[in-house]
Amino acid sequence: MTKAYDALIVGAGHNGLVCAFYLARAGLKVRILEAREVVGGAAVTEEFAPGFRNSVASYTVSLLQPKVIADMKLADHGYRVIERPISNFLPQENGGYLKLGGGLERTQAEFSKFSARDAAVLPQYYEALENVAELLRDLALRVPPNVGEGLRTLLDGARQGRRFASLQLEQQRDVLDFFTKSARTMLDGWFESEAVKAAFGFDAVVGNYASPDTPGSAYVLLHHVFGEVNGKKGAWGHSVGGMGRITEIMAKVCRDMGVEISLESPVAKILVDASKAVGVKLAGGEEIAAARVIANVGPKLLYERLMNAADLPHDFQRRIKGFKAGSGTFRMNVALSELPKFTCLPEPGEHHQSGIILAPTLDYMDRAFLDAKQFGWSKAPIVEMLIPSTVDESLAPPGQHVASLFCQQFAPELPDGRDWDDEEEAAADAILDTVEKCAPGFRASIVGQARLSPKGLARKFGLVGGDIMHGNMSLDQLWAARPVLGNGGYRGPVQGLYMCGAGTHPGGGVTGAPGHNAAQVILRDRGLFAPRWR
């Protein structure tokens, strides 16, 4: 083996970079091994047509933890996020539209076009949503209690349960609703307008291969609203320079702390000796020793492809085999000669700087999922369009634009043995047809495009099943049970093996929380950090 390190991190995605920062700051000798030629994992910015650059997979900012931003001093190195003037814009099938965001009174005025009752109840809904979102914010940077650790499990659980116990009864009922109900059931209890329910229900299917009728989908809605931008809770924004700018800055901060980052260094195997992780073997054959190995890849990739089955407990193998992964996501970037002209609102405006949601009702979203289950993808998919070049001129030539198309529902594996490589183009055509119906002339304005099917996401970023969340965000795969109950505290089933990716609490999105939390566990195990109860 080559020289030993205190820690080897597999994958230079944002969580791996965050984890490396905290470990290096504590004095550990850290090296990151990245398979691709660039840092960032799924948070990267690339040129996909001459003169046109855009975020490739992850595409918008809200969930990145303020503590991580402050600790890494990202703003000092150029981190900047521009908030959306309104959150979302939803064209409707009858030719109208709904705008969400821009303040309570503006949103109420929009809702009143569809339902005076919905406009009136909106403040109560926001209050309930915020109460539950605040609970998630409180838990995001806490290590879940690891079942099986006796008194420590009880104390950790009691400490983290205090906030829930302090809620009023009605607030506790709201928590139960958001964590267990389907998005439709939960929203039906609040609103009557289908357009209003779609405006909120869209978040329930983002990165979620499920229907808004699927039990537990209300939690996915909640997961997407517990973030903040520039101190504004629940807001979303655009990272100037794309998502890759965030990870470029993180990598610089890490290197300044002494972290070694090795690109084009794919890990082939985690090396285990006497039931302890002792290093890694690279695809080229080099073996590197380390006191601990930290995986910033999904649980399916780590335990089913990078480890020998003989090194894992049998029951753990069975649980990982049943771990659900596959977000039903298809990503496209398109280079445009002009802004799209929506039939319902053709002139340039604030809606071009928002999330443009092409999914007018929950029934539309349900059909998209059922269609994908039967055929492989939806003929009328759910599409969110963002046009970041409206606020960031660095992404496209003057007068031209780039648009991100984040699309659901597309089966992680096509039925009947069909291959995504053969059908990617047809699926992309269905996406463009969907946009064209709302914005005639959109196809004619396209001067370049890039697309990633679920298989393409897996091939490019190592996302098994094309899962942008590293695993389903279902109730059985959250908190202390992410990825497996008894290994939900960032420690693997092998001594010296840790996890720091989105397959651990609190899950997917560009949050930095798994990387932060995993580092605290590692430092605690090394005796450099002690929990308060001790």
Side-chain angles (χ1 to χ4, degrees):
M1 287 190 178
T2 59
K3 62 181 180 179
Y5 293 83
D6 293 319
L8 286 176
I9 297 178
V10 182
H14 80 281
N15 277 311
L17 294 166
V18 170
C19 185
F21 163 77
Y22 284 107
L23 297 182
R25 191 176 70 168
L28 274 65
K29 184 179 180 182
V30 184
R31 182 176 176 183
I32 303 176
L33 301 166
E34 168 57 43
R36 300 190 68 221
E37 69 282 1
V38 294
V39 300
V44 289
T45 304
E46 295 179 1
E47 185 176 77
F48 66 95
F52 294 87
R53 302 166 58 247
N54 203 12
S55 305
V56 179
S58 61
Y59 60 104
T60 188
V61 184
S62 174
L63 304 179
L64 187 58
Q65 289 292 309
K67 183 178 187 299
V68 170
I69 296 171
D71 287 349
M72 298 187 76
K73 295 182 172 58
L74 300 184
D76 293 349
H77 296 274
Y79 172 77
R80 181 180 169 221
V81 176
I82 298 174
E83 301 161 38
R84 301 180 189 177
I86 57 173
S87 302
N88 292 327
F89 164 68
L90 288 83
Q92 293 297 299
E93 293 175 321
N94 63 1
Y97 62 85
L98 184 150
K99 291 181 180 180
L100 180 67
L104 174 61
E105 291 184 359
R106 278 198 65 185
T107 303
Q108 283 182 295
E110 281 287 311
F111 281 15
S112 66
K113 297 189 304 186
F114 297 87
S115 166
R117 177 188 174 277
D118 289 356
V121 79
L122 182 62
Q124 295 170 253
Y125 176 76
Y126 276 162
E127 182 179 3
L129 189 67
E130 179 56 28
N131 285 333
V132 186
E134 194 61 35
L135 181 67
L136 290 189
R137 293 187 190 106
D138 183 65
L139 291 175
L141 293 183
R142 294 178 183 267
V143 177
N146 206 35
V147 175
E149 295 184 352
L151 178 62
R152 181 165 168 175
T153 299
L154 293 175
L155 292 172
D156 284 348
R159 186 171 64 250
Q160 295 189 32
R162 279 189 310 220
R163 184 174 185 87
F164 175 78
S166 69
L167 297 176
Q168 298 176 3
L169 177 59
E170 189 59 30
Q171 293 172 330
Q172 292 181 359
R173 289 170 175 162
D174 289 335
V175 172
L176 185 64
D177 285 349
F178 276 102
F179 273 71
T180 61
K181 288 184 176 180
S182 72
R184 188 192 296 270
T185 300
M186 194 272 299
L187 291 168
D188 279 348
W190 284 95
F191 304 108
E192 61 184 12
S193 165
E194 293 304 316
V196 169
K197 285 184 278 190
F200 292 118
F202 166 73
D203 283 331
V205 297
V206 173
N208 188 20
Y209 187 51
S211 163
D213 294 326
T214 302
S217 55
Y219 172 78
V220 182
L221 180 161
L222 181 66
H223 181 80
H224 287 93
V225 300
F226 78 86
E228 62 181 76
V229 167
N230 301 331
K232 296 182 180 179
K233 293 179 180 179
W236 288 81
H238 168 73
S239 169
V240 175
M243 299 300 287
R245 180 60 180 151
I246 300 175
T247 48
E248 287 171 3
I249 293 170
M250 287 181 169
K252 180 184 185 306
V253 172
C254 284
R255 289 187 174 107
D256 289 347
M257 295 291 298
V259 176
E260 295 181 41
I261 302 177
S262 300
L263 303 177
E264 298 182 281
S265 301
V267 171
K269 196 67 65 178
I270 307 296
L271 300 176
V272 177
D273 183 37
S275 299
K276 183 182 186 304
V278 295
V280 303
K281 182 177 181 178
L282 300 184
E286 180 186 1
E287 295 185 353
I288 307 171
R292 53 196 60 79
V293 177
I294 306 151
N296 183 34
V297 297
K300 299 287 278 188
L301 178 59
L302 171 62
Y303 294 116
E304 294 185 346
R305 303 185 189 180
L306 298 185
M307 296 193 71
N308 293 321
D311 293 327
L312 297 170
H314 178 73
D315 182 65
F316 183 86
Q317 292 180 54
R318 181 176 67 83
R319 295 286 180 181
I320 287 296
K321 186 176 181 180
F323 183 81
K324 298 181 299 246
S327 61
T329 301
F330 195 112
R331 271 289 279 120
M332 292 186 70
N333 279 325
V334 291
L336 303 174
S337 61
E338 61 181 2
L339 287 173
K341 296 180 175 64
F342 295 94
T343 302
C344 61
L345 198 59
E347 297 304 316
E350 63 183 2
H351 59 295
H352 285 111
Q353 298 176 17
S354 73
I356 301 164
I357 310 301
L358 307 184
T361 65
L362 297 182
D363 283 343
Y364 180 103
M365 299 178 201
D366 180 50
R367 287 194 299 270
F369 175 62
L370 296 177
D371 204 14
K373 285 189 67 177
Q374 180 179 6
F375 179 70
W377 70 76
S378 170
K379 303 295 182 58
I382 301 162
V383 179
E384 180 182 20
M385 178 192 299
L386 268 75
I387 312 175
S389 52
T390 56
V391 296
D392 185 352
E393 296 179 353
S394 71
L395 301 178
Q400 302 186 73
H401 292 278
V402 294
S404 298
L405 303 179
F406 180 89
C407 314
Q408 300 277 140
Q409 302 284 350
F410 297 81
E413 293 185 7
L414 291 172
D416 306 319
R418 289 147 53 208
D419 193 306
W420 268 118
D421 286 343
D422 299 326
E423 307 201 26
E424 181 182 83
E425 184 174 356
D429 283 339
I431 293 168
L432 298 181
D433 287 344
T434 299
V435 180
E436 184 75 16
K437 288 178 183 177
C438 296
F442 181 77
R443 275 182 176 276
S445 70
I446 297 174
V447 296
Q449 65 174 272
R451 53 185 183 245
L452 288 169
S453 69
K455 183 178 179 180
L457 288 166
R459 182 165 48 216
K460 189 177 183 77
F461 299 113
L463 302 172
V464 175
D467 197 324
I468 62 171
M469 304 288 192
H470 284 196
N472 291 15
M473 300 287 289
S474 51
L475 191 59
D476 61 319
Q477 296 185 176
L478 293 176
W479 197 44
R482 190 168 183 86
V484 172
L485 196 67
N487 293 98
Y490 308 97
R491 299 180 187 88
V494 174
Q495 184 183 356
L497 178 65
Y498 296 85
M499 297 168 283
C500 74
T504 60
H505 172 76
V510 179
T511 72
H516 169 280
N517 297 352
Q520 308 314 304
V521 170
I522 293 163
L523 296 177
R524 177 190 300 171
D525 289 351
R526 198 169 185 262
L528 297 179
F529 173 82
R532 292 177 185 174
W533 63 267
R534 285 183 179 173

Coordinates of all heavy atoms in Angstrom, one line a residue, residues 9-20 140 144 223 293-300 302-303 323 463 467-471 473 477 479 482-483 487-491 498-519 522:
I9 N -11.9 9.6 1.7 CA -13.3 9.8 1.4 C -13.5 9.4 -0.1 O -12.8 9.9 -1.0 CB -13.6 11.3 1.6 CG1 -13.5 11.7 3.1 CG2 -15.0 11.6 1.1 CD1 -13.8 13.1 3.4
V10 N -14.5 8.6 -0.3 CA -14.8 8.1 -1.6 C -15.8 9.0 -2.2 O -17.0 9.0 -1.9 CB -15.3 6.6 -1.6 CG1 -15.6 6.1 -3.0 CG2 -14.3 5.7 -0.9
G11 N -15.4 9.9 -3.2 CA -16.4 10.7 -3.9 C -16.2 12.2 -3.4 O -16.3 12.5 -2.3
A12 N -16.0 13.1 -4.4 CA -15.8 14.5 -4.1 C -17.1 15.3 -4.4 O -17.0 16.5 -4.8 CB -14.6 15.1 -5.0
G13 N -18.2 14.7 -4.1 CA -19.5 15.5 -4.1 C -19.5 16.4 -3.0 O -18.6 16.4 -2.1
H14 N -20.5 17.3 -2.9 CA -20.5 18.3 -1.9 C -20.4 17.8 -0.5 O -19.7 18.4 0.4 CB -21.7 19.3 -2.1 CG -23.0 18.7 -1.5 ND1 -23.7 17.8 -2.1 CD2 -23.6 19.0 -0.3 CE1 -24.8 17.5 -1.4 NE2 -24.8 18.3 -0.3
N15 N -21.1 16.7 -0.2 CA -21.0 16.1 1.2 C -19.7 15.6 1.5 O -19.2 15.7 2.7 CB -22.1 15.0 1.4 CG -23.5 15.6 1.7 OD1 -23.6 16.4 2.6 ND2 -24.5 15.1 1.0
G16 N -19.0 15.0 0.6 CA -17.6 14.6 0.8 C -16.7 15.7 1.1 O -15.8 15.7 2.0
L17 N -16.9 16.8 0.4 CA -16.1 18.0 0.6 C -16.3 18.6 2.0 O -15.4 19.1 2.6 CB -16.3 19.0 -0.5 CG -15.9 18.6 -1.9 CD1 -16.5 19.5 -3.0 CD2 -14.4 18.6 -2.1
V18 N -17.6 18.7 2.3 CA -17.9 19.2 3.7 C -17.3 18.4 4.8 O -16.7 18.9 5.7 CB -19.5 19.3 3.8 CG1 -19.9 19.6 5.3 CG2 -20.0 20.4 2.9
C19 N -17.5 17.1 4.6 CA -16.9 16.2 5.6 C -15.4 16.3 5.7 O -14.8 16.4 6.8 CB -17.2 14.7 5.3 SG -16.7 13.5 6.5
A20 N -14.7 16.4 4.6 CA -13.3 16.6 4.5 C -12.8 17.9 5.2 O -11.8 17.9 6.0 CB -12.8 16.6 3.1
A140 N -31.8 18.4 11.3 CA -30.9 18.3 10.1 C -29.5 18.1 10.5 O -28.7 17.3 9.9 CB -31.1 19.4 9.2
P144 N -28.7 11.1 14.2 CA -29.9 10.3 14.7 C -29.4 9.3 15.7 O -28.3 8.8 15.7 CB -30.4 9.6 13.4 CG -29.8 10.3 12.3 CD -28.5 10.9 12.7
H223 N -39.8 18.0 2.8 CA -38.3 18.0 2.7 C -37.8 19.1 1.9 O -36.7 19.6 2.1 CB -37.8 16.6 2.2 CG -36.3 16.5 2.0 ND1 -35.5 16.2 3.1 CD2 -35.5 16.6 1.0 CE1 -34.3 16.1 2.7 NE2 -34.2 16.4 1.4
V293 N -12.4 4.8 6.3 CA -12.9 5.0 5.0 C -14.3 5.6 5.1 O -15.1 5.1 5.8 CB -12.9 3.7 4.1 CG1 -13.4 4.0 2.8 CG2 -11.5 3.1 4.0
I294 N -14.5 6.7 4.4 CA -15.8 7.4 4.4 C -16.4 7.4 3.0 O -15.8 8.0 2.1 CB -15.6 8.8 5.0 CG1 -14.8 8.8 6.3 CG2 -16.9 9.5 5.2 CD1 -14.0 10.0 6.6
A295 N -17.5 6.8 2.9 CA -18.2 6.7 1.6 C -19.2 7.8 1.3 O -20.1 7.9 2.0 CB -18.8 5.4 1.5
N296 N -18.9 8.6 0.3 CA -19.8 9.7 -0.1 C -20.5 9.2 -1.4 O -20.6 9.9 -2.4 CB -19.1 11.0 -0.4 CG -20.0 12.1 -0.7 OD1 -21.1 12.2 -0.3 ND2 -19.6 13.0 -1.6
V297 N -20.9 7.9 -1.4 CA -21.7 7.4 -2.5 C -22.9 6.7 -1.9 O -23.0 6.6 -0.6 CB -20.9 6.3 -3.2 CG1 -19.7 6.9 -3.9 CG2 -20.5 5.1 -2.3
G298 N -23.9 6.4 -2.7 CA -25.1 5.8 -2.2 C -24.9 4.5 -1.6 O -24.0 3.7 -1.9
P299 N -25.8 4.1 -0.7 CA -25.7 2.8 0.0 C -25.7 1.6 -1.0 O -24.9 0.6 -0.8 CB -26.9 2.7 0.9 CG -27.3 4.1 1.2 CD -26.9 4.9 -0.1
K300 N -26.5 1.6 -2.0 CA -26.5 0.5 -3.0 C -25.2 0.4 -3.7 O -24.7 -0.7 -3.8 CB -27.6 0.8 -4.0 CG -29.0 0.8 -3.5 CD -29.6 -0.5 -3.0 CE -30.1 -1.3 -4.2 NZ -30.8 -2.6 -3.7
L302 N -22.2 1.5 -2.5 CA -21.2 1.1 -1.6 C -21.2 -0.3 -1.2 O -20.2 -1.0 -1.3 CB -21.4 2.0 -0.3 CG -20.5 1.6 0.9 CD1 -19.1 1.7 0.6 CD2 -20.9 2.4 2.1
Y303 N -22.4 -0.8 -0.8 CA -22.4 -2.2 -0.2 C -22.6 -3.3 -1.2 O -22.3 -4.4 -0.9 CB -23.6 -2.2 0.8 CG -23.3 -1.3 2.0 CD1 -24.1 -0.2 2.3 CD2 -22.2 -1.6 2.8 CE1 -23.8 0.6 3.4 CE2 -21.9 -0.7 3.9 CZ -22.7 0.3 4.2 OH -22.4 1.2 5.3
F323 N -33.2 -2.1 0.1 CA -33.2 -0.6 0.2 C -33.6 -0.1 -1.2 O -33.1 -0.4 -2.2 CB -31.7 -0.1 0.5 CG -31.6 1.4 0.7 CD1 -31.9 2.0 1.8 CD2 -31.1 2.1 -0.4 CE1 -31.8 3.4 2.0 CE2 -30.9 3.5 -0.2 CZ -31.3 4.1 1.0
L463 N -25.1 7.2 -9.6 CA -26.4 7.2 -8.9 C -27.1 6.0 -9.3 O -27.7 5.9 -10.4 CB -27.2 8.5 -9.3 CG -26.5 9.8 -9.0 CD1 -27.3 11.0 -9.6 CD2 -26.3 10.0 -7.5
D467 N -30.9 7.6 -9.1 CA -31.6 8.2 -7.9 C -30.8 9.4 -7.4 O -29.7 9.3 -6.8 CB -31.7 7.2 -6.8 CG -32.7 7.6 -5.7 OD1 -32.8 8.8 -5.5 OD2 -33.5 6.8 -5.2
I468 N -31.3 10.6 -7.6 CA -30.7 11.8 -7.2 C -30.6 12.0 -5.7 O -29.9 12.8 -5.2 CB -31.3 13.1 -7.8 CG1 -32.8 13.2 -7.4 CG2 -31.2 13.0 -9.3 CD1 -33.4 14.5 -7.8
M469 N -31.4 11.2 -5.0 CA -31.5 11.3 -3.5 C -30.6 10.2 -2.8 O -30.6 10.0 -1.6 CB -32.9 11.1 -3.0 CG -33.9 12.1 -3.6 SD -33.6 13.8 -2.9 CE -35.1 14.6 -3.5
H470 N -30.0 9.3 -3.6 CA -29.2 8.2 -3.1 C -30.1 7.1 -2.5 O -29.6 6.2 -1.8 CB -28.1 8.6 -2.1 CG -26.9 9.2 -2.7 ND1 -25.7 9.4 -2.1 CD2 -26.7 9.7 -4.0 CE1 -24.8 9.9 -2.8 NE2 -25.4 10.2 -4.0
G471 N -31.4 7.2 -2.6 CA -32.4 6.3 -2.0 C -33.7 7.0 -1.8 O -33.7 8.2 -1.5
M473 N -36.9 8.6 -0.3 CA -37.2 9.4 0.9 C -38.5 8.9 1.5 O -39.4 9.7 1.7 CB -37.2 10.9 0.6 CG -35.9 11.4 0.0 SD -34.6 11.5 1.2 CE -35.2 12.9 2.2
Q477 N -37.1 4.7 5.3 CA -35.7 5.0 4.9 C -35.3 6.4 5.4 O -34.6 7.1 4.6 CB -35.5 4.8 3.4 CG -35.7 3.4 3.0 CD -35.3 3.1 1.5 OE1 -35.4 2.0 1.1 NE2 -35.0 4.1 0.8
W479 N -34.3 9.2 8.8 CA -33.7 9.5 10.1 C -32.9 8.3 10.6 O -31.9 8.0 9.9 CB -34.9 9.8 11.1 CG -34.5 10.4 12.4 CD1 -33.7 11.4 12.6 CD2 -35.0 10.0 13.7 NE1 -33.6 11.8 13.9 CE2 -34.4 10.9 14.6 CE3 -35.9 9.1 14.2 CZ2 -34.6 10.8 16.0 CZ3 -36.1 9.0 15.5 CH2 -35.5 9.9 16.4
R482 N -32.0 5.4 8.0 CA -31.4 5.7 6.7 C -29.9 5.5 6.8 O -29.2 6.2 7.6 CB -31.7 7.2 6.3 CG -31.3 7.5 4.9 CD -31.9 8.9 4.4 NE -31.6 9.1 3.1 CZ -32.3 8.7 2.0 NH1 -33.4 8.0 2.2 NH2 -31.9 9.0 0.8
P483 N -29.3 4.5 6.2 CA -30.0 3.6 5.3 C -30.7 2.3 5.9 O -31.6 1.8 5.4 CB -28.9 3.1 4.3 CG -27.7 3.1 5.2 CD -27.9 4.2 6.2
N487 N -27.7 1.3 11.7 CA -26.6 1.9 11.1 C -27.0 3.2 10.5 O -26.6 3.6 9.4 CB -26.1 1.0 9.9 CG -25.4 -0.3 10.5 OD1 -26.1 -1.3 10.5 ND2 -24.2 -0.2 10.9
G488 N -27.9 3.9 11.3 CA -28.4 5.2 10.8 C -27.6 6.4 11.4 O -28.0 7.5 11.3
G489 N -26.5 6.1 12.1 CA -25.6 7.1 12.7 C -24.3 7.4 12.0 O -23.3 7.7 12.6
Y490 N -24.3 7.1 10.6 CA -23.2 7.4 9.8 C -22.1 6.3 9.9 O -21.1 6.4 9.1 CB -22.6 8.8 10.0 CG -23.7 9.9 9.9 CD1 -24.3 10.4 11.0 CD2 -24.1 10.3 8.7 CE1 -25.3 11.3 11.0 CE2 -25.2 11.2 8.6 CZ -25.8 11.7 9.7 OH -26.8 12.6 9.6
R491 N -22.2 5.4 10.8 CA -21.2 4.3 10.9 C -21.7 3.1 10.1 O -22.9 2.7 10.1 CB -21.0 3.9 12.3 CG -20.5 4.9 13.2 CD -20.4 4.4 14.7 NE -20.0 5.4 15.6 CZ -20.9 6.2 16.3 NH1 -22.2 6.0 16.1 NH2 -20.5 7.1 17.1
Y498 N -17.4 4.5 7.4 CA -18.4 5.5 7.6 C -19.1 5.9 6.3 O -18.6 5.7 5.2 CB -17.8 6.8 8.3 CG -17.2 6.5 9.6 CD1 -15.9 6.1 9.7 CD2 -17.9 6.8 10.8 CE1 -15.3 5.8 10.9 CE2 -17.3 6.6 12.0 CZ -16.0 6.1 12.1 OH -15.5 5.9 13.3
M499 N -20.3 6.5 6.4 CA -21.1 7.0 5.3 C -21.3 8.5 5.5 O -21.6 9.0 6.6 CB -22.4 6.3 5.2 CG -22.3 4.8 4.9 SD -23.9 3.9 5.1 CE -23.9 3.9 6.9
C500 N -21.2 9.3 4.5 CA -21.5 10.8 4.6 C -22.3 11.3 3.5 O -22.3 12.6 3.3 CB -20.1 11.5 4.7 SG -19.2 11.6 3.1
G501 N -22.9 10.5 2.7 CA -23.7 11.0 1.5 C -25.2 11.1 1.8 O -25.7 10.9 2.9
A502 N -25.9 11.4 0.7 CA -27.4 11.6 0.8 C -28.1 10.3 1.2 O -29.3 10.4 1.5 CB -27.9 12.2 -0.5
G503 N -27.5 9.2 1.2 CA -28.1 7.9 1.7 C -28.2 7.9 3.2 O -28.6 6.8 3.7
T504 N -27.8 8.9 3.9 CA -27.9 9.0 5.3 C -28.7 10.2 5.7 O -29.1 11.0 4.8 CB -26.5 9.1 6.0 OG1 -25.8 10.3 5.5 CG2 -25.6 8.0 5.6
H505 N -29.1 10.4 6.9 CA -29.9 11.5 7.4 C -29.2 12.8 7.1 O -28.0 12.9 7.3 CB -30.1 11.3 8.9 CG -30.7 12.5 9.6 ND1 -32.1 12.8 9.5 CD2 -30.2 13.5 10.4 CE1 -32.4 13.9 10.1 NE2 -31.2 14.3 10.7
P506 N -29.9 13.9 6.7 CA -31.3 14.0 6.4 C -31.8 13.7 5.0 O -32.9 14.0 4.7 CB -31.6 15.4 6.8 CG -30.4 16.2 6.4 CD -29.2 15.2 6.6
G507 N -30.9 13.1 4.2 CA -31.3 12.7 2.9 C -30.8 13.6 1.8 O -29.8 14.2 1.9
G508 N -31.6 13.6 0.6 CA -31.1 14.2 -0.6 C -31.2 15.7 -0.6 O -31.7 16.4 0.3
G509 N -30.7 16.3 -1.7 CA -30.5 17.7 -1.9 C -29.2 18.2 -1.5 O -28.4 17.5 -0.8
V510 N -28.8 19.4 -2.0 CA -27.5 19.9 -1.7 C -27.6 20.6 -0.3 O -27.9 21.8 -0.2 CB -27.1 20.9 -2.8 CG1 -25.7 21.5 -2.5 CG2 -27.0 20.2 -4.1
T511 N -27.4 19.8 0.7 CA -27.6 20.3 2.1 C -26.2 20.4 2.8 O -26.1 21.3 3.7 CB -28.5 19.4 2.9 OG1 -27.8 18.1 3.2 CG2 -29.8 19.0 2.2
G512 N -25.3 19.5 2.6 CA -24.1 19.5 3.4 C -24.3 18.9 4.7 O -23.3 18.6 5.4
A513 N -25.5 18.6 5.1 CA -25.8 18.1 6.5 C -25.2 16.7 6.7 O -24.6 16.5 7.7 CB -27.3 18.1 6.7
P514 N -25.3 15.7 5.8 CA -24.7 14.4 6.0 C -23.2 14.5 6.2 O -22.6 13.8 7.0 CB -25.1 13.6 4.8 CG -26.3 14.2 4.3 CD -26.2 15.7 4.6
G515 N -22.5 15.4 5.4 CA -21.1 15.5 5.5 C -20.7 16.1 6.8 O -19.7 15.7 7.5
H516 N -21.4 17.1 7.3 CA -21.2 17.8 8.6 C -21.4 16.8 9.7 O -20.6 16.6 10.6 CB -22.2 18.9 8.7 CG -22.3 19.5 10.1 ND1 -23.0 18.9 11.1 CD2 -21.7 20.6 10.6 CE1 -22.9 19.7 12.2 NE2 -22.1 20.7 12.0
N517 N -22.5 16.0 9.7 CA -22.8 15.1 10.8 C -21.9 13.9 10.8 O -21.5 13.5 11.9 CB -24.3 14.6 10.6 CG -25.3 15.7 10.7 OD1 -25.0 16.9 11.0 ND2 -26.5 15.4 10.4
A518 N -21.5 13.4 9.7 CA -20.6 12.3 9.7 C -19.3 12.7 10.3 O -18.6 11.9 11.0 CB -20.4 11.8 8.2
A519 N -18.8 13.9 10.0 CA -17.5 14.4 10.5 C -17.6 14.4 12.0 O -16.6 14.1 12.7 CB -17.2 15.7 9.9
I522 N -17.2 10.9 13.4 CA -15.8 10.4 13.2 C -14.9 11.1 14.3 O -14.1 10.4 14.9 CB -15.3 10.7 11.8 CG1 -16.1 9.9 10.8 CG2 -13.8 10.5 11.7 CD1 -16.0 10.4 9.3

